[in-house]
Amino acid sequence: MRKSYILLVAIVAVVVVAMLSIFIVDEREKVLVLQFSKIVDVKEEPGIGFKIPFIQQLVRYDDRILSREVDPLEVTPLDDRRLVVDAFARYRIADVRRFREAVGDGGIPFAESRLDSILRARIREVLGSVTSGDILSSDRATLMLRIRNAAITEAKELGLEVVDVRLQRTDLPTQNLDATFARMRAEREREAADEVARGNEAAQRVRAQADRTKVELVSDAKRQSEITRGEADAKSNAVFNAAFGANAEFFEFYRSLDAYRVALPGSNSSIVMSPDSDFFKYFNNVGEAGTAAPANVEAAPDLSGAAQPGRDEPDASQPGADEPGAEQPSDDAAAAATPAGTAPEDAAAAAQ
């Protein structure tokens, strides 16, 4: 019975020691075997490993690609236009032994803080050597590649491999936003004022051209109207000349009737003038033919306001129309003054 108990205890002890001596390495990790804080073995391949129980310890590190975001930092490009940049990095533990020697018991958190310092220094160095326009342009990818290559060398001392570095966001500092927006607003207002000025200038040109076209059209229309009026007057004069040439005596008589109609517009018209005036030539001719001279047309002394002999059309508006010696012409006198051979209707028209 005693021997069976001792055997059972020995079997259990062997199983426990075997379990403590055997460890499994996952494909996603790397394992360090430490003995009294010294590295005695490195397991990078997945599988089964052995260690001395209670004397050797295991330290496991992730072998996958890790991500680290860098806190926003302020950079000053060559044009002194300060920018706030956010970045992140992709890295992995390439050399576990060197990583352990570099960070000690601090592990990944301590390594990431060291990596942050490296990345921030390289970002400031690279972005400080270019202008803000280059940072915001298509050259951004080239700048990120330069940052990564500069960080790789320093990260190797930590046993890290920097896979990639990316710039997430590039903004202006908060204290500069108001000034930047004000400058942008002023720039847009200036552009708007330029557009308005150009529009007004174009409007002035169009308006001036329209006014010039208007003046030219009006001038041309007046010129054409004057030409037409002159041609019409020429034709009218030609007709009058032809009529005068065909029958000079009748033409002169017709023109005299028109003069009578204008000079004696109403039934109460009076006129004072010399009796031997050419204006009464046809009246005098009728009197010589045996017809009684008009009773209301009498000889009047020469007055300062009377019409002078030799005028074809006297001015009926001159003073003296109501002076003694001039009477109102009557219908009988107008009929008596009608030339011989004239129809009664023509005589009535002449008396009107």
Side-chain angles (χ1 to χ4, degrees):
M1 184 68 182
R2 184 181 180 86
K3 291 181 179 180
S4 299
Y5 179 75
I6 293 174
L7 181 61
L8 180 61
V9 172
I11 293 174
V12 172
V14 170
V15 172
V16 171
V17 170
M19 292 180 62
L20 293 176
S21 300
I22 298 173
F23 61 90
I24 299 175
V25 180
D26 191 89
E27 64 272 9
R28 297 171 294 180
E29 63 184 9
K30 295 179 181 181
V31 178
L32 287 179
V33 180
L34 303 180
Q35 183 174 334
F36 303 114
S37 301
K38 293 183 179 180
I39 301 173
V40 296
D41 193 11
V42 177
K43 298 294 183 180
E44 296 183 355
E45 298 297 329
I48 298 176
F50 299 93
K51 67 180 181 66
I52 300 174
F54 306 110
I55 296 177
Q56 295 178 346
Q57 296 85 28
L58 300 178
V59 179
R60 299 176 184 271
Y61 294 107
D62 200 335
D63 192 34
R64 295 173 296 182
I65 295 177
L66 305 177
S67 177
R68 178 60 179 174
E69 292 189 2
V70 181
D71 294 334
L73 71 155
E74 187 174 304
V75 298
T76 304
L78 289 178
D79 53 2
D80 294 331
R81 186 179 182 182
R82 293 185 299 172
L83 299 174
V84 176
V85 179
D86 289 343
F88 71 92
R90 302 288 185 183
Y91 72 97
R92 58 186 296 269
I93 302 175
D95 190 343
V96 181
R97 186 182 296 272
R98 179 176 292 182
F99 180 79
R100 177 68 183 185
E101 293 175 351
V103 301
D105 295 336
I108 292 180
F110 181 76
E112 287 183 344
S113 65
R114 294 278 302 275
L115 182 61
D116 285 349
S117 301
I118 294 172
L119 292 175
R120 292 168 71 89
R122 300 290 77 79
I123 289 173
R124 283 196 174 96
E125 178 184 354
V126 174
L127 298 186
S129 62
V130 296
T131 63
S132 58
D134 296 332
I135 298 175
L136 302 175
S137 68
S138 58
D139 296 336
R140 189 185 184 116
T142 304
L143 298 177
M144 291 187 292
L145 184 60
R146 289 176 55 186
I147 296 172
R148 191 202 71 174
N149 295 337
I152 285 176
T153 303
E154 296 185 30
K156 282 183 178 180
E157 298 178 359
L158 299 176
L160 301 177
E161 177 188 357
V162 179
V163 179
D164 192 15
V165 176
R166 294 288 174 179
L167 300 177
Q168 289 181 298
R169 187 181 61 179
T170 304
D171 291 332
L172 294 171
T174 305
Q175 59 270 23
N176 293 350
L177 288 179
D178 294 338
T180 302
F181 290 153
R183 184 169 60 252
M184 293 173 62
R185 189 180 300 108
E187 182 67 19
R188 296 299 179 271
E189 290 177 354
R190 185 187 64 79
E191 293 178 359
D194 292 342
E195 291 295 333
V196 171
R198 284 193 289 269
N200 292 334
E201 181 182 359
Q204 287 294 109
R205 287 197 300 268
V206 172
R207 194 176 294 111
Q209 183 64 28
D211 293 340
R212 177 180 177 182
T213 303
K214 173 186 175 182
V215 172
E216 291 177 352
L217 291 177
V218 171
S219 300
D220 185 69
K222 289 182 178 180
R223 184 179 63 83
Q224 294 293 337
S225 65
E226 292 296 331
I227 292 174
T228 303
R229 187 178 293 106
E231 293 176 352
D233 291 340
K235 291 181 179 179
S236 175
N237 292 334
V239 171
F240 277 114
N241 292 335
F244 184 78
N247 193 338
E249 184 178 358
F250 176 75
F251 184 78
E252 185 177 358
F253 174 71
Y254 179 78
R255 295 299 298 271
S256 298
L257 291 181
D258 286 340
Y260 297 155
R261 185 179 297 111
V262 173
L264 304 172
S267 58
N268 296 324
S269 300
S270 300
I271 185 171
V272 178
M273 60 190 317
S274 176
D276 56 352
S277 174
D278 290 340
F279 187 73
F280 293 110
K281 178 176 64 175
Y282 288 98
F283 289 96
N284 295 333
N285 290 340
V286 172
E288 293 176 358
T291 306
N296 61 335
V297 179
E298 299 177 356
D302 292 338
L303 301 176
S304 59
Q308 298 296 328
R311 295 183 60 181
D312 294 334
E313 297 180 10
D315 189 359
S317 61
Q318 291 185 359
D322 298 330
E323 294 181 2
E327 299 180 357
Q328 297 293 335
S330 61
D331 294 339
D332 295 337
T338 302
T342 304
E345 292 79 7
D346 294 339
Q352 290 290 328

